[in-house]
């Protein structure tokens, strides 16, 4: 209905709130990152992000890695990164 301009506007408005939150957190960290309370806050945020990513990885792996061959290939690809 809105064509390309509508799609661009919708995409921009979808990304903008997340980008604003990341920018605010970056500014907070840059200004007060040395304070113990802020460092502890960001440590908690890091832990939450890791938990969310691991949970998403487990869900995708359960669906995508159905056999031994797929599991081996995924492990080999992960090991190949390092």
């Amino acid at each position: 209905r809105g064509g390309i301009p509508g799609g661009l506007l919708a995409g921009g408005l979808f990304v903008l709130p997340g980008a604003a939150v990341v920018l605010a957190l970056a500014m907070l960290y840059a200004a007060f990152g040395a304070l113990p309370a802020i460092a502890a806050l960001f440590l908690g945020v890091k832990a939450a992000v890791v938990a969310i990513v691991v949970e998403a990885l487990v869900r995708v792996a359960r669906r995508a890695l159905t056999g031994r061959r797929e599991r081996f290939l995924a492990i080999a690809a992960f090991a190949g990164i390092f």
Side-chain angles (χ1 to χ4, degrees):
R1 212 156 103 160
I4 292 175
L8 291 173
L9 180 64
L13 292 176
F14 177 77
V15 172
L16 193 60
V21 169
V22 170
L23 177 64
L25 288 172
M27 291 171 60
L28 179 70
Y29 184 76
F32 304 108
L35 296 175
I38 300 299
L41 174 78
F42 276 94
L43 187 61
V45 170
K46 286 179 192 177
V49 169
V50 168
I52 291 168
V53 169
V54 167
E55 178 63 27
L57 175 67
V58 168
R59 284 185 178 191
V60 169
R62 282 187 187 143
R63 290 185 183 140
L65 306 177
T66 56
R68 290 183 125 173
R69 183 172 156 231
E70 289 87 1
R71 289 185 186 122
F72 175 77
L73 187 60
I75 291 169
F78 181 73
I81 293 172
F82 303 104

